[in-house]
Amino acid sequence: MNHPKLVVGNWKMNPATVAEAKKIASRIKIATAKLEHTDVVICPPLAFIAPCSGRGKHHKMLMGAQTVSPETESGPHTGEVSVMMLRDLGVEYVIVGHSEQRKRGDTDEMVSRRLKAVLESGLTPILCIGETVRDDSGAYLGSLKNQIKASCADISYKDAKKIIIAYEPIWAIGATEAMKPEDIYETSLFVKKVFSDLFGAETSSKIKVLYGGSVTFRNAHDIMVIGKVDGLLVGRESVNAPGFIELIKVVDGIK
Ligand code: PGA
């Protein structure tokens, strides 16, 4: 396990109002004050980043964004938000290549451009990868490998060290159950092996691999301990303040 452990909350397009968002964020901030071995990042919708943000003396909650423009220069890019703008808001982490973005048209090439923009700005990218289906013949491993290779095209060895990988099997996102911890362990080893082939064993040993897909406070312990991942990417449970707070306590308590 690479320390500190990392828990990232992907709020997706939730909650409905800024007042609710501020309430959830402030409860999480209070809970992070006592954490010793875990970093907690929340990724609210763009409109809620400023109201929820703020590195504080009394908490350790960090801010992330759910995506970013591949464009780095200000200009005629309607609807886009640049990595510099996010940085200015206090954002330190950016999710790239989430399957819900890929489903809406993000190609590996777009993901790689977003990844490069984040790395160039000095922020930390959380690169999402994951197979659509898990077949018995193991063809999904080939598709995972291709996804990693294509998303990381033209990334230098130096930058590769800064990437956090979030392995999220698409079939386990928004589902009733997470992937089995034993299978998470096997696949995270495979992900590290692919990374090692691309960027060397030393880089691969340093990168964090997170698991995402139906994580709750109930399954977080086994996913971390049996799945041997460095952290978690949490969707629905991350906007349920009591559940998320319990989850980060469970993770922080793991030696
Ligand atoms: P979920 O979402 O925890 O609600 O399954 C995870 C994600 O999409 O990152």
Side-chain angles (χ1 to χ4, degrees):
M1 206 182 276
N2 279 324
H3 289 274
K5 290 164 280 185
L6 179 65
V7 177
V8 182
N10 173 14
W11 287 14
K12 308 193 180 190
M13 205 169 80
N14 298 297
T17 66
V18 70
E20 286 172 81
K22 283 165 83 171
K23 222 185 269 173
I24 299 169
S26 69
R27 291 181 70 176
I28 296 171
K29 278 179 192 164
I30 295 166
T32 59
K34 293 195 196 104
L35 299 180
E36 290 183 49
H37 316 286
T38 313
D39 285 341
V40 173
V41 179
I42 63 158
C43 304
L46 186 58
F48 296 159
I49 289 179
C52 291
S53 85
R55 252 190 188 268
K57 269 194 214 133
H58 307 296
H59 72 87
K60 296 177 201 145
M61 190 189 79
L62 305 167
M63 294 306 291
Q66 298 174 16
T67 187
V68 69
S69 177
E71 305 294 340
T72 49
E73 298 291 321
S74 298
H77 310 296
T78 303
E80 295 291 278
V81 173
S82 76
V83 75
M84 302 306 264
M85 294 169 184
L86 292 177
R87 196 166 72 179
D88 215 28
L89 284 176
V91 165
E92 295 176 64
Y93 293 79
V94 184
I95 297 174
V96 291
H98 190 279
S99 62
E100 285 155 14
Q101 288 278 324
R102 292 184 190 257
K103 206 157 76 188
R104 282 210 302 280
D106 239 15
T107 59
D108 283 332
E109 194 243 325
M110 291 286 282
V111 173
S112 129
R113 287 182 60 207
R114 294 186 205 278
L115 183 65
K116 263 182 244 156
V118 177
L119 286 166
E120 271 164 28
S121 73
L123 301 194
T124 303
I126 301 167
L127 171 65
C128 297
I129 52 145
E131 76 277 5
T132 323
V133 284
R134 177 161 273 239
D135 54 302
D136 291 338
S137 64
Y140 69 94
L141 293 173
S143 80
L144 272 180
K145 185 174 175 176
N146 291 340
Q147 211 179 31
I148 298 171
K149 271 185 162 169
S151 306
C152 295
D154 303 327
I155 300 293
S156 69
Y157 274 52
K158 199 169 124 252
D159 279 346
K161 282 191 188 126
K162 300 172 195 153
I163 299 175
I164 292 170
I165 302 261
Y167 168 58
E168 297 203 300
I170 295 167
W171 50 269
I173 295 177
T176 45
E177 270 184 60
M179 191 182 202
K180 281 203 209 90
E182 293 79 6
D183 293 342
I184 293 172
Y185 176 54
E186 228 173 62
T187 319
S188 70
L189 280 183
F190 176 78
V191 168
K192 289 213 172 198
K193 164 82 173 65
V194 174
F195 228 73
S196 168
D197 292 346
L198 286 176
F199 299 109
E202 205 215 324
T203 302
S204 173
S205 70
K206 288 204 177 114
I207 59 148
K208 281 194 167 97
V209 177
L210 317 183
Y211 166 80
S214 299
V215 178
T216 66
F217 73 88
R218 290 193 176 85
N219 59 21
H221 178 274
D222 285 0
I223 292 174
M224 291 291 296
V225 173
I226 304 171
K228 292 193 175 62
V229 282
D230 305 303
L232 303 167
L233 179 52
V234 186
R236 284 157 295 167
E237 189 84 312
S238 69
V239 274
N240 163 28
F244 191 66
I245 289 165
E246 187 56 33
L247 185 154
I248 58 181
K249 282 188 196 155
V250 166
V251 171
D252 199 51
I254 298 168
K255 293 280 171 294

